[in-house]
Amino acid sequence: VQLQASGGGLVQAGGSLRLSCAASGSIFDINAMGWYRQAPGKQRELVATITTAGTTNYADSVKGRFTISRENGKNTVYLQMNSLNAEDTADYYCKGNIGGSRWYASDYWGQGTKVTVSS
């Protein structure tokens, strides 16, 4: 199983970016998916999660600005980021709880995609 993240880049403060993360490989089903970020010198933190049913959870710092969504048929999770500010600069990682069979699931991480917000 692999998670491939994309969509990062350089954006001016106030701008928007959309991150994507696609899961591939031997997948039976995908449970919760999420986005995390790690700024230089800081610990990795949760940004947003989404369940199979579409229930979402956000860090307080991104509520009202970021939207997580998923397209189950494409095994893909998205993060729409609006009103970006310098504090959003970080490497963003996707995570998925993915079942390789009916009885077994594990957490998988994608590679980071860098988001840089210039002020």
Side-chain angles (χ1 to χ4, degrees):
V1 175
Q2 289 187 330
L3 294 177
Q4 181 69 44
S6 61
L10 174 65
V11 63
Q12 288 188 333
S16 298
L17 281 175
R18 188 191 194 209
L19 306 183
S20 300
C21 177
S24 62
S26 182
I27 297 171
F28 179 77
D29 61 8
I30 301 179
N31 303 308
M33 302 188 79
W35 288 95
Y36 295 73
R37 67 187 181 185
Q38 187 167 16
K42 295 187 177 182
Q43 291 188 335
R44 190 173 297 187
E45 64 177 2
L46 180 147
V47 175
T49 61
I50 185 168
T51 67
T52 305
T55 301
T56 58
N57 179 56
Y58 296 93
D60 288 342
S61 60
V62 307
K63 282 181 181 177
R65 300 188 298 122
F66 291 11
T67 301
I68 188 171
S69 61
R70 62 191 287 171
E71 198 166 354
N72 291 331
K74 293 185 176 181
N75 293 336
T76 299
V77 63
Y78 305 97
L79 186 68
Q80 177 66 43
M81 305 185 294
N82 299 328
S83 302
L84 286 160
N85 57 58
E87 287 69 41
D88 297 317
T89 295
D91 290 323
Y92 283 71
Y93 299 87
C94 59
K95 176 184 173 182
N97 184 260
I98 299 173
S101 70
R102 184 186 301 275
W103 304 278
Y104 180 75
S106 291
D107 288 336
Y108 294 87
W109 289 89
Q111 90 290 3
T113 185
K114 183 176 293 291
V115 173
T116 303
V117 183
S118 63
S119 57

